[in-house]
Structures are given as C-alpha cells and as structure tokens.
Amino acid sequence: MNPYSEFTTRVRRIVIDLGREAVLPTDLPVERVVVEPPRQADHGDLATNAAMVLAGAAKMKPRDLAARVVERLEKDPDIAEVEIAGPGFINIRLAKAWWPETLKSILEAGDRVGRSELGAGMPVNVEYVSANPTGPLHVGHCRGAVFGDALANLLEHTGYRVTREYYINDAGAQIDTLAKSAYHRYLEARGEDIGDIPDGLYPGEYLIPVGKSLDQEFGESLIKMDEKDRLAIIREKAVAMMMAMIRDDLEALDIRHDVFFSEKSLADPDNDRIATAIEALREQGAVYTGKLPPPKGQLPDDWEDREQTLFRSTDFGDDVDRALLKSDGSYTYFASDIAYHLDKYQRGFANQVLVVGADHGGYVKRMTAAVNAITGGKGALDIKLCQLVRLLRDGQPVKMSKRAGDFVSLRDVVEEVGKDPVRFMMLYRKNEAPLDFDFAKVKEQSKDNPVFYVQYAHARAHSVLRNAKLTIPDLDPSSLDLSETDFSFLNDEGEIELIKLMAQYARTVEGAALAHEPHRLAFYLYELSSAFHSHWNKGKESPQLRFINPDKRALSKARLGLIHGLILVLASGLDILGVDAVREM
RNA sequence: GACCCCGUAGCUCAGAUGGAUAGAGCAGCGGACUUCUAAUCCGCAGGUCGCAGGUUCGAAUCCUGCCGGGGUCGCCA
C-alpha cells in the first residue's frame, strides 16, 4: 500500500472528524493537506503540512492545531511515533511492520504496480510528431516524438483513455512543392536527364522511389495530363509514400499512433469544416474584419496594410488578434487548426495535449485561446514545448544545414546508438530545457550513462534471481509464495531504504502524469537504481547482507522478494519510458 | 519593441505545484575487487539559487522591476 496517499486520506479524515466534533472549525480546506516523504530522513517516514495549511482558516496557531491532530494519530496502530517539529510539521514514524507490508502490496500488484485510477477512464488526446510529410524525420523531431509517446504511456498507466494522434499537413504550399519535386523524379525514372533539382524544390534522394513508383503505376500518362490533374495525383501518391516512410522511422523508436488525421480532409468542398468552425466563432462574435497593427521592430519587406478576417483571440488571452484568411482568400494554417481542434473536441476529447518544438512557442496563446473559444471553455489544451536538441560528436556540435539537405536523420541516430539510449536521453531532461545529445556519451557502457546505469540495475537484479536458483535449488524465486514469506527479515537500513523508494513509485508516476512531465520518472528510476547499486555493494564488506544466503533460507526468500519488487518497479518505469528492461548485459 | 522558455556547485542538470539544514552526476582528491556482475560502491571538498524589492508563519519555487542567454513575432507550416 502506498503510504503517502493512504495517510493523506487518514489525516484528512481526522481533520474532518475533529470538525464534526467541534474541536476544530468545519469547512477547513482539507484538500491542501498532503502527506509526503520528508526531505531529511531523520525526520521520520512521513511528514504532513496539515497544521500549517489549516491554521489560517482555523484561526489557530499551527502547533496548537497540530497537537489536536497528533492526539488522534497516536491512536493509529500503524504509527510508531509522532512529533511536532519546526513551524508545525507533523512527523510520523511508521510501525516497523509497515514497510514489509508495502513491499508485499507491490508484489501483489505485480506488473500492475504504479497503475492508478487517477484518470478515471477519461479520454485524452495526445498529438505529437505531426511533421510535414515532405521527407524523412530528422533528429529535431526525435525529442517531441519520444516525449509525446512517453507521456501517452504515462497517462495510460494512470487510468486515462489515451489516443495518440498525428496531424498530417497534407494541404498547402509545401505539399505542392513536394509534388513538383516528385514529378522531377518521375521524369528521371522515365529516363530523362533532369540535371539538378531546381532551387526551391526538394533535392532529397528519398523522392527517387516515389518517381519510380509513379512511373510503374502511371507510365507515360502523367506527362500528357494538364498540370492540375497531374499534381493532384502525384500529391496524393507522394504524401502516402512519405507517411509510410515516417511511420517506418517512428517504428524504429517503438512509436505507433492510433490516428493519422488529414488536414486536407477538413477542407473537403462538400463538407468544409473550416468554414463551419469559423462560422461558429462568428456566431459568438469572435470574428470580425479589421486591420492589424504592424509588428514592432523590423517591418516585413512585403508588409501590406489591409483589412482581413480576424479571430478576436485577445478576448481569450492572446496578445493580438489572428488572421483566419490569407490575402488570396484561402484559409490560414491557424484556421484549419481551429477546425482540427474542434474536431478533436467533438470526438470526445475535452482533454488535449499537443507536443511541439519550442519554435512554435508563439503559437501557444492563440491556440489555447482558440480551443477555449470554440469549445465554450469546456475544452482544455495543454501545449508542451520541447526545446531544441544539440547534437555533439566528440564534444563538438554537429553542423546541420537544412538547405543543403544535410541533416542527421532520426533513423541514422537510432541506428547508431540504439532505441533505448535515444529514448532515455531524450527524457532525461525537462522538456523546456535545451538538451545536449553527445553520441560518445550516449553509447558509453558505464555508470556515466544513466540509461546504462538503470538497465544495469535491472539486469543485476535478474542476475540475483539466476544465482538464487543455482545456490538454493529447491527455492524457486519465480514463484514466491507471499503468504509463506516472512518479510520482517527485511530490517537492514539499506533494505528499508529501497522499499521506501519503491513506495514512492506510484506517487512519482501520478505526479509526472498530472504535470505532463515524464522526465520525473526517468530521474526517479535513476535514484532507485542508485539505491540498489549502493545496497548491493554493502554485501561486499558484509556478506551477511547479500541477497542470497544459502544457510538462511527464510531470510533469502524475503530478500528475493525485495529483488522481485525492485524488478517490478524498474521494469514498469522503463516500460512507461519505452525503454527495454534487459535481463542480462 | 512585444511575447515565450532558461539562469541553482568549476561543468551538465534535478528540486514533487510554497516547507524544515537547497540535492545528484561529471570533473578534482582519497579509498573498496580470491564479486550474489568493480559495467559498481564509499568518503572528502565544492553555494549570495542572476540582481533588487514585495506577498506570509516560511520563497530556488508566487508577484513586480531590472540584468544576461535562447526562441518567436500579419498571409509559411
């Protein structure tokens, strides 16, 4: 049982009871009461802020209020010791039996460890990657891809019903460019000497197969068509092939989306949902025709002062109103995005997460404003910005030039260092912080590499199980009978420390899920691994602390239970991050 | 000029939605291998949490103003 949530409930109940008995006022803000692990170990096992957060509303001194709560806590048989400390903290030391019981509940949970009903089955849509289908994914896409995927896992683990979504930008100018570029490759495939790909088109070789495929499917017929029909055909074919390539790249990172949503489908002439969305905004008075002030600082060369159709996003927290129509009358990207987010909402996603690169920072306010407006305030959109990744080779930044088509592809990185290190390192940093990705360090097989460090802890734990089988043959560690295992043997400081950390797993997962911050889990796994490596090494100087003790069967059994619990937590956490929990290295 | 992110040990970074004496890793110094995997561990040293105010029992965390670094800035996506 997770002591933090358990005792939060117990303390809150005490406060409510005291209110009912008129010892304390009623209507105290009990939801602010939390029970947490204290920062200092010598403060005990648990600490609560109850007295301090309630003192104001109760019009009592924190320490006096604490005394009332402590009177009740002392009657709790699971508590060994309670004291009031500092400004009014209540420090709790749990009964000795508690921690072994915690381990037992982890073992009982099995591979469902850390799962919770936090989300209560609520649908959440996580949109990530959504790269333009104009070429293969490059490293820049990598971080958002891994982040979004791990976040989706995290939300699933905490009881949300998650849909992983990819928005395909298959409309607009860059798709025309793609089609024109593919047409050159088509001519090339038909044997024409095309020379260099003209400026402004995509020179990448990844379009060569598209040209060949067009030739095979359509022969010479494309040449005879008028350009409009021809490009329409090529566009569709090229986008399909680019998306197949992108999905393949993502597969290399174990990333699979549930829904691929076409931008083009929104503007279907028979059912123009962008128009519908704009109309909906217009009905609530959020659309008008007017002029925007020119941006301060340097004025764009082609600035043209003119009337345009605007969304009143300033009413919803944006800095300026935003254009919905371009000068040629077609929809802006923003307009189709509004329709898209409305569509998500109508599909049942009041809860939406969008993962994008930090260069989209300017998009946050207008998009949250739009979702707010179009859903009548009922939809929530959390936009997570991922900062750039700086690739380093031998400590030197890897230079990339987009124009020369000279960028490191996502596939190259995954093939060079492997899926697990890529995923872990992308998550071993807060999403808003820039990230250095050093090829040499990431591939290193040592404790300096956190990926390796955590995987090694898991492998090491498995190595204990393997050894146990050999040392104590009649003890099958894979089928520990919990009822016959006496976990009270686990009373060494290091063992208790491990259990305490394992007990924090559930709350770490919940916290990370609520804050949409998967990196917390990565750091937690590192910490847990560290505690294990540390305890392990104690067995060198003190052989009686080793997990396997052939002369002491019951003791060994309890310690193998601890190993099992550790494996469950590490494997679960790694699984959420999408990193393989290897058993042998 | 406006907006967003960042500023914590020499370096790279955590810091749980406001808690107690601010933590890791690297680099530095000193230790532990006839091993349940030393692919690891233990110890030492290292700080004006960018600066200045404010909010309160209490601030690295919230507010305001500066300083420094990065990103973005009608119709691109």
mmCIF file of all heavy atoms in Angstrom, chain B residues 49-63:
data_model
loop_
_atom_site.group_PDB
_atom_site.id
_atom_site.type_symbol
_atom_site.label_atom_id
_atom_site.label_comp_id
_atom_site.label_asym_id
_atom_site.label_seq_id
_atom_site.Cartn_x
_atom_site.Cartn_y
_atom_site.Cartn_z
ATOM 1 P P C B 49 21.660 32.323 -2.729
ATOM 2 O OP1 C B 49 20.358 33.030 -2.737
ATOM 3 O OP2 C B 49 21.966 31.305 -1.710
ATOM 4 O "O5'" C B 49 21.898 31.678 -4.157
ATOM 5 C "C5'" C B 49 21.436 32.359 -5.324
ATOM 6 C "C4'" C B 49 21.050 31.345 -6.356
ATOM 7 O "O4'" C B 49 20.881 30.054 -5.728
ATOM 8 C "C3'" C B 49 19.732 31.646 -7.047
ATOM 9 O "O3'" C B 49 19.840 31.228 -8.402
ATOM 10 C "C2'" C B 49 18.744 30.761 -6.333
ATOM 11 O "O2'" C B 49 17.636 30.424 -7.111
ATOM 12 C "C1'" C B 49 19.617 29.534 -6.031
ATOM 13 N N1 C B 49 19.125 28.749 -4.885
ATOM 14 C C2 C B 49 18.404 27.579 -5.144
ATOM 15 O O2 C B 49 18.212 27.237 -6.323
ATOM 16 N N3 C B 49 17.949 26.853 -4.102
ATOM 17 C C4 C B 49 18.195 27.258 -2.863
ATOM 18 N N4 C B 49 17.726 26.513 -1.876
ATOM 19 C C5 C B 49 18.913 28.452 -2.579
ATOM 20 C C6 C B 49 19.358 29.163 -3.614
ATOM 21 P P G B 50 19.070 32.061 -9.485
ATOM 22 O OP1 G B 50 17.827 32.612 -8.918
ATOM 23 O OP2 G B 50 19.018 31.132 -10.643
ATOM 24 O "O5'" G B 50 20.022 33.281 -9.839
ATOM 25 C "C5'" G B 50 21.427 33.082 -9.996
ATOM 26 C "C4'" G B 50 22.039 34.387 -10.430
ATOM 27 O "O4'" G B 50 21.604 34.679 -11.785
ATOM 28 C "C3'" G B 50 21.588 35.590 -9.612
ATOM 29 O "O3'" G B 50 22.393 35.766 -8.463
ATOM 30 C "C2'" G B 50 21.730 36.746 -10.614
ATOM 31 O "O2'" G B 50 23.078 37.171 -10.717
ATOM 32 C "C1'" G B 50 21.323 36.059 -11.924
ATOM 33 N N9 G B 50 19.893 36.198 -12.206
ATOM 34 C C8 G B 50 18.983 35.177 -12.334
ATOM 35 N N7 G B 50 17.770 35.599 -12.589
ATOM 36 C C5 G B 50 17.902 36.987 -12.640
ATOM 37 C C6 G B 50 16.931 37.980 -12.887
ATOM 38 O O6 G B 50 15.721 37.849 -13.128
ATOM 39 N N1 G B 50 17.484 39.258 -12.849
ATOM 40 C C2 G B 50 18.804 39.519 -12.594
ATOM 41 N N2 G B 50 19.140 40.808 -12.583
ATOM 42 N N3 G B 50 19.719 38.611 -12.365
ATOM 43 C C4 G B 50 19.204 37.368 -12.401
ATOM 44 P P C B 51 21.687 36.353 -7.120
ATOM 45 O OP1 C B 51 22.698 36.252 -6.040
ATOM 46 O OP2 C B 51 20.364 35.719 -6.945
ATOM 47 O "O5'" C B 51 21.461 37.887 -7.462
ATOM 48 C "C5'" C B 51 22.558 38.766 -7.660
ATOM 49 C "C4'" C B 51 22.062 40.160 -7.930
ATOM 50 O "O4'" C B 51 21.320 40.176 -9.184
ATOM 51 C "C3'" C B 51 21.063 40.701 -6.914
ATOM 52 O "O3'" C B 51 21.692 41.218 -5.759
ATOM 53 C "C2'" C B 51 20.333 41.768 -7.720
ATOM 54 O "O2'" C B 51 21.095 42.956 -7.819
ATOM 55 C "C1'" C B 51 20.253 41.103 -9.094
ATOM 56 N N1 C B 51 18.982 40.393 -9.286
ATOM 57 C C2 C B 51 17.846 41.133 -9.632
ATOM 58 O O2 C B 51 17.955 42.360 -9.754
ATOM 59 N N3 C B 51 16.667 40.505 -9.819
ATOM 60 C C4 C B 51 16.585 39.175 -9.678
ATOM 61 N N4 C B 51 15.407 38.604 -9.881
ATOM 62 C C5 C B 51 17.727 38.394 -9.323
ATOM 63 C C6 C B 51 18.894 39.036 -9.141
ATOM 64 P P A B 52 20.904 41.189 -4.352
ATOM 65 O OP1 A B 52 21.821 41.731 -3.334
ATOM 66 O OP2 A B 52 20.295 39.849 -4.162
ATOM 67 O "O5'" A B 52 19.722 42.236 -4.593
ATOM 68 C "C5'" A B 52 20.026 43.607 -4.825
ATOM 69 C "C4'" A B 52 18.765 44.395 -5.007
ATOM 70 O "O4'" A B 52 18.151 44.090 -6.286
ATOM 71 C "C3'" A B 52 17.655 44.110 -4.006
ATOM 72 O "O3'" A B 52 17.873 44.733 -2.755
ATOM 73 C "C2'" A B 52 16.431 44.657 -4.736
ATOM 74 O "O2'" A B 52 16.376 46.066 -4.681
ATOM 75 C "C1'" A B 52 16.745 44.230 -6.178
ATOM 76 N N9 A B 52 16.106 42.940 -6.490
ATOM 77 C C8 A B 52 16.622 41.676 -6.380
ATOM 78 N N7 A B 52 15.781 40.726 -6.733
ATOM 79 C C5 A B 52 14.637 41.419 -7.094
ATOM 80 C C6 A B 52 13.378 40.992 -7.562
ATOM 81 N N6 A B 52 13.053 39.721 -7.760
ATOM 82 N N1 A B 52 12.452 41.952 -7.834
ATOM 83 C C2 A B 52 12.771 43.239 -7.635
ATOM 84 N N3 A B 52 13.923 43.758 -7.203
ATOM 85 C C4 A B 52 14.818 42.785 -6.949
ATOM 86 P P G B 53 16.944 44.309 -1.514
ATOM 87 O OP1 G B 53 17.622 44.751 -0.290
ATOM 88 O OP2 G B 53 16.524 42.886 -1.661
ATOM 89 O "O5'" G B 53 15.672 45.228 -1.746
ATOM 90 C "C5'" G B 53 14.443 44.873 -1.165
ATOM 91 C "C4'" G B 53 13.299 45.456 -1.955
ATOM 92 O "O4'" G B 53 13.470 45.104 -3.365
ATOM 93 C "C3'" G B 53 11.948 44.894 -1.583
ATOM 94 O "O3'" G B 53 11.401 45.563 -0.464
ATOM 95 C "C2'" G B 53 11.145 45.074 -2.870
ATOM 96 O "O2'" G B 53 10.747 46.413 -3.044
ATOM 97 C "C1'" G B 53 12.214 44.704 -3.908
ATOM 98 N N9 G B 53 12.250 43.262 -4.133
ATOM 99 C C8 G B 53 13.294 42.395 -3.848
ATOM 100 N N7 G B 53 13.031 41.155 -4.146
ATOM 101 C C5 G B 53 11.740 41.192 -4.659
ATOM 102 C C6 G B 53 10.923 40.145 -5.149
ATOM 103 O O6 G B 53 11.192 38.941 -5.230
ATOM 104 N N1 G B 53 9.682 40.605 -5.562
ATOM 105 C C2 G B 53 9.279 41.927 -5.519
ATOM 106 N N2 G B 53 8.046 42.171 -5.966
ATOM 107 N N3 G B 53 10.030 42.919 -5.064
ATOM 108 C C4 G B 53 11.244 42.477 -4.658
ATOM 109 P P G B 54 10.928 44.644 0.784
ATOM 110 O OP1 G B 54 10.681 45.536 1.943
ATOM 111 O OP2 G B 54 11.864 43.510 0.923
ATOM 112 O "O5'" G B 54 9.540 44.102 0.254
ATOM 113 C "C5'" G B 54 8.553 45.021 -0.209
ATOM 114 C "C4'" G B 54 7.492 44.331 -1.014
ATOM 115 O "O4'" G B 54 8.094 43.639 -2.138
ATOM 116 C "C3'" G B 54 6.726 43.228 -0.298
ATOM 117 O "O3'" G B 54 5.726 43.735 0.557
ATOM 118 C "C2'" G B 54 6.166 42.435 -1.471
ATOM 119 O "O2'" G B 54 5.032 43.083 -2.022
ATOM 120 C "C1'" G B 54 7.317 42.501 -2.474
ATOM 121 N N9 G B 54 8.150 41.310 -2.423
ATOM 122 C C8 G B 54 9.448 41.206 -1.978
ATOM 123 N N7 G B 54 9.924 39.990 -2.062
ATOM 124 C C5 G B 54 8.876 39.243 -2.585
ATOM 125 C C6 G B 54 8.784 37.862 -2.901
ATOM 126 O O6 G B 54 9.655 36.992 -2.774
ATOM 127 N N1 G B 54 7.539 37.526 -3.402
ATOM 128 C C2 G B 54 6.504 38.407 -3.592
ATOM 129 N N2 G B 54 5.379 37.905 -4.088
ATOM 130 N N3 G B 54 6.569 39.701 -3.301
ATOM 131 C C4 G B 54 7.776 40.047 -2.813
ATOM 132 P P U B 55 5.366 42.949 1.920
ATOM 133 O OP1 U B 55 4.533 43.839 2.761
ATOM 134 O OP2 U B 55 6.613 42.352 2.457
ATOM 135 O "O5'" U B 55 4.436 41.768 1.369
ATOM 136 C "C5'" U B 55 3.323 42.054 0.522
ATOM 137 C "C4'" U B 55 2.679 40.761 0.078
ATOM 138 O "O4'" U B 55 3.511 40.122 -0.926
ATOM 139 C "C3'" U B 55 2.549 39.702 1.167
ATOM 140 O "O3'" U B 55 1.418 39.927 1.995
ATOM 141 C "C2'" U B 55 2.450 38.433 0.347
ATOM 142 O "O2'" U B 55 1.156 38.282 -0.207
ATOM 143 C "C1'" U B 55 3.442 38.714 -0.774
ATOM 144 N N1 U B 55 4.796 38.215 -0.485
ATOM 145 C C2 U B 55 5.046 36.859 -0.688
ATOM 146 O O2 U B 55 4.193 36.091 -1.081
ATOM 147 N N3 U B 55 6.328 36.464 -0.403
ATOM 148 C C4 U B 55 7.364 37.251 0.048
ATOM 149 O O4 U B 55 8.458 36.734 0.248
ATOM 150 C C5 U B 55 7.031 38.624 0.235
ATOM 151 C C6 U B 55 5.793 39.048 -0.026
ATOM 152 P P U B 56 1.426 39.340 3.483
ATOM 153 O OP1 U B 56 0.042 39.422 4.004
ATOM 154 O OP2 U B 56 2.546 40.014 4.201
ATOM 155 O "O5'" U B 56 1.828 37.823 3.266
ATOM 156 C "C5'" U B 56 0.865 36.789 3.136
ATOM 157 C "C4'" U B 56 1.250 35.607 4.007
ATOM 158 O "O4'" U B 56 2.544 35.139 3.552
ATOM 159 C "C3'" U B 56 1.436 35.982 5.482
ATOM 160 O "O3'" U B 56 1.126 34.888 6.327
ATOM 161 C "C2'" U B 56 2.899 36.314 5.559
ATOM 162 O "O2'" U B 56 3.454 36.243 6.823
ATOM 163 C "C1'" U B 56 3.478 35.263 4.604
ATOM 164 N N1 U B 56 4.795 35.644 4.062
ATOM 165 C C2 U B 56 5.636 34.660 3.581
ATOM 166 O O2 U B 56 5.331 33.482 3.533
ATOM 167 N N3 U B 56 6.865 35.098 3.162
ATOM 168 C C4 U B 56 7.322 36.395 3.178
ATOM 169 O O4 U B 56 8.449 36.648 2.773
ATOM 170 C C5 U B 56 6.400 37.369 3.690
ATOM 171 C C6 U B 56 5.200 36.967 4.103
ATOM 172 P P C B 57 1.165 35.086 7.947
ATOM 173 O OP1 C B 57 0.157 34.155 8.476
ATOM 174 O OP2 C B 57 1.093 36.521 8.278
ATOM 175 O "O5'" C B 57 2.610 34.546 8.344
ATOM 176 C "C5'" C B 57 3.246 34.972 9.563
ATOM 177 C "C4'" C B 57 4.270 33.957 9.977
ATOM 178 O "O4'" C B 57 3.602 32.687 10.232
ATOM 179 C "C3'" C B 57 5.292 33.612 8.903
ATOM 180 O "O3'" C B 57 6.373 34.523 8.906
ATOM 181 C "C2'" C B 57 5.736 32.214 9.290
ATOM 182 O "O2'" C B 57 6.688 32.245 10.335
ATOM 183 C "C1'" C B 57 4.427 31.619 9.829
ATOM 184 N N1 C B 57 3.689 30.835 8.801
ATOM 185 C C2 C B 57 4.173 29.572 8.440
ATOM 186 O O2 C B 57 5.210 29.157 8.964
ATOM 187 N N3 C B 57 3.496 28.855 7.516
ATOM 188 C C4 C B 57 2.384 29.344 6.972
ATOM 189 N N4 C B 57 1.764 28.595 6.071
ATOM 190 C C5 C B 57 1.877 30.629 7.321
ATOM 191 C C6 C B 57 2.546 31.327 8.245
ATOM 192 P P G B 58 6.940 35.046 7.513
ATOM 193 O OP1 G B 58 8.086 35.931 7.796
ATOM 194 O OP2 G B 58 5.781 35.555 6.745
ATOM 195 O "O5'" G B 58 7.490 33.714 6.812
ATOM 196 C "C5'" G B 58 8.691 33.136 7.289
ATOM 197 C "C4'" G B 58 9.056 31.972 6.438
ATOM 198 O "O4'" G B 58 8.183 30.828 6.747
ATOM 199 C "C3'" G B 58 8.855 32.135 4.936
ATOM 200 O "O3'" G B 58 9.739 33.090 4.338
ATOM 201 C "C2'" G B 58 8.924 30.673 4.506
ATOM 202 O "O2'" G B 58 10.204 30.121 4.667
ATOM 203 C "C1'" G B 58 8.008 30.053 5.567
ATOM 204 N N9 G B 58 6.610 30.157 5.137
ATOM 205 C C8 G B 58 5.689 31.117 5.467
ATOM 206 N N7 G B 58 4.523 30.947 4.910
ATOM 207 C C5 G B 58 4.670 29.795 4.157
ATOM 208 C C6 G B 58 3.734 29.105 3.337
ATOM 209 O O6 G B 58 2.560 29.386 3.109
ATOM 210 N N1 G B 58 4.301 27.965 2.757
ATOM 211 C C2 G B 58 5.595 27.552 2.947
ATOM 212 N N2 G B 58 5.942 26.446 2.300
ATOM 213 N N3 G B 58 6.483 28.183 3.716
ATOM 214 C C4 G B 58 5.951 29.290 4.287
ATOM 215 P P A B 59 11.009 32.602 3.384
ATOM 216 O OP1 A B 59 11.916 31.830 4.219
ATOM 217 O OP2 A B 59 11.496 33.809 2.743
ATOM 218 O "O5'" A B 59 10.397 31.683 2.212
ATOM 219 C "C5'" A B 59 11.066 30.453 1.863
ATOM 220 C "C4'" A B 59 11.347 30.399 0.379
ATOM 221 O "O4'" A B 59 10.108 30.543 -0.354
ATOM 222 C "C3'" A B 59 12.273 31.492 -0.140
ATOM 223 O "O3'" A B 59 13.017 30.971 -1.237
ATOM 224 C "C2'" A B 59 11.322 32.547 -0.675
ATOM 225 O "O2'" A B 59 11.864 33.343 -1.673
ATOM 226 C "C1'" A B 59 10.222 31.645 -1.246
ATOM 227 N N9 A B 59 8.906 32.292 -1.338
ATOM 228 C C8 A B 59 8.511 33.495 -0.844
ATOM 229 N N7 A B 59 7.261 33.790 -1.104
ATOM 230 C C5 A B 59 6.798 32.705 -1.812
ATOM 231 C C6 A B 59 5.560 32.399 -2.364
ATOM 232 N N6 A B 59 4.496 33.201 -2.303
ATOM 233 N N1 A B 59 5.441 31.230 -3.021
ATOM 234 C C2 A B 59 6.505 30.424 -3.091
ATOM 235 N N3 A B 59 7.729 30.594 -2.592
ATOM 236 C C4 A B 59 7.808 31.768 -1.967
ATOM 237 P P A B 60 14.463 30.330 -0.882
ATOM 238 O OP1 A B 60 14.231 29.083 -0.125
ATOM 239 O OP2 A B 60 15.329 31.389 -0.295
ATOM 240 O "O5'" A B 60 15.044 29.976 -2.319
ATOM 241 C "C5'" A B 60 15.443 31.011 -3.213
ATOM 242 C "C4'" A B 60 15.326 30.540 -4.637
ATOM 243 O "O4'" A B 60 15.833 29.181 -4.712
ATOM 244 C "C3'" A B 60 13.898 30.457 -5.167
ATOM 245 O "O3'" A B 60 13.491 31.682 -5.712
ATOM 246 C "C2'" A B 60 14.011 29.377 -6.237
ATOM 247 O "O2'" A B 60 14.537 29.902 -7.439
ATOM 248 C "C1'" A B 60 15.060 28.424 -5.624
ATOM 249 N N9 A B 60 14.453 27.289 -4.905
ATOM 250 C C8 A B 60 14.521 27.026 -3.567
ATOM 251 N N7 A B 60 13.889 25.925 -3.213
ATOM 252 C C5 A B 60 13.386 25.434 -4.406
ATOM 253 C C6 A B 60 12.625 24.303 -4.717
ATOM 254 N N6 A B 60 12.228 23.407 -3.811
ATOM 255 N N1 A B 60 12.276 24.115 -6.003
ATOM 256 C C2 A B 60 12.670 25.009 -6.913
ATOM 257 N N3 A B 60 13.406 26.128 -6.750
ATOM 258 C C4 A B 60 13.731 26.275 -5.455
ATOM 259 P P U B 61 11.977 32.174 -5.553
ATOM 260 O OP1 U B 61 11.811 33.356 -6.404
ATOM 261 O OP2 U B 61 11.711 32.252 -4.105
ATOM 262 O "O5'" U B 61 11.091 30.991 -6.147
ATOM 263 C "C5'" U B 61 11.140 30.675 -7.536
ATOM 264 C "C4'" U B 61 10.254 29.487 -7.823
ATOM 265 O "O4'" U B 61 10.656 28.402 -6.942
ATOM 266 C "C3'" U B 61 8.768 29.737 -7.574
ATOM 267 O "O3'" U B 61 8.011 29.152 -8.608
ATOM 268 C "C2'" U B 61 8.508 29.038 -6.250
ATOM 269 O "O2'" U B 61 7.200 28.536 -6.133
ATOM 270 C "C1'" U B 61 9.530 27.899 -6.268
ATOM 271 N N1 U B 61 9.938 27.489 -4.925
ATOM 272 C C2 U B 61 9.587 26.228 -4.483
ATOM 273 O O2 U B 61 8.958 25.446 -5.178
ATOM 274 N N3 U B 61 9.982 25.923 -3.218
ATOM 275 C C4 U B 61 10.694 26.725 -2.351
ATOM 276 O O4 U B 61 10.979 26.303 -1.237
ATOM 277 C C5 U B 61 11.016 28.021 -2.869
ATOM 278 C C6 U B 61 10.639 28.350 -4.118
ATOM 279 P P C B 62 7.471 30.124 -9.744
ATOM 280 O OP1 C B 62 6.787 29.289 -10.757
ATOM 281 O OP2 C B 62 8.549 31.029 -10.146
ATOM 282 O "O5'" C B 62 6.371 30.984 -8.967
ATOM 283 C "C5'" C B 62 5.016 30.569 -8.942
ATOM 284 C "C4'" C B 62 4.151 31.638 -8.323
ATOM 285 O "O4'" C B 62 4.379 31.671 -6.881
ATOM 286 C "C3'" C B 62 4.469 33.065 -8.769
ATOM 287 O "O3'" C B 62 3.830 33.385 -9.991
ATOM 288 C "C2'" C B 62 3.942 33.885 -7.610
ATOM 289 O "O2'" C B 62 2.539 34.020 -7.668
ATOM 290 C "C1'" C B 62 4.312 33.001 -6.419
ATOM 291 N N1 C B 62 5.623 33.349 -5.828
ATOM 292 C C2 C B 62 5.758 34.563 -5.130
ATOM 293 O O2 C B 62 4.780 35.307 -5.038
ATOM 294 N N3 C B 62 6.939 34.879 -4.588
ATOM 295 C C4 C B 62 7.970 34.050 -4.717
ATOM 296 N N4 C B 62 9.134 34.399 -4.163
ATOM 297 C C5 C B 62 7.865 32.817 -5.418
ATOM 298 C C6 C B 62 6.684 32.499 -5.953
ATOM 299 P P C B 63 4.439 34.505 -10.935
ATOM 300 O OP1 C B 63 3.648 34.519 -12.191
ATOM 301 O OP2 C B 63 5.909 34.321 -10.989
ATOM 302 O "O5'" C B 63 4.135 35.846 -10.130
ATOM 303 C "C5'" C B 63 2.807 36.345 -10.010
ATOM 304 C "C4'" C B 63 2.839 37.755 -9.474
ATOM 305 O "O4'" C B 63 3.335 37.739 -8.111
ATOM 306 C "C3'" C B 63 3.803 38.686 -10.204
ATOM 307 O "O3'" C B 63 3.200 39.253 -11.361
ATOM 308 C "C2'" C B 63 4.132 39.726 -9.144
ATOM 309 O "O2'" C B 63 3.102 40.688 -9.030
ATOM 310 C "C1'" C B 63 4.153 38.866 -7.880
ATOM 311 N N1 C B 63 5.518 38.398 -7.543
ATOM 312 C C2 C B 63 6.385 39.257 -6.870
ATOM 313 O O2 C B 63 5.987 40.396 -6.579
ATOM 314 N N3 C B 63 7.632 38.831 -6.552
ATOM 315 C C4 C B 63 8.013 37.598 -6.896
ATOM 316 N N4 C B 63 9.251 37.215 -6.559
ATOM 317 C C5 C B 63 7.156 36.698 -7.580
ATOM 318 C C6 C B 63 5.927 37.125 -7.887
#
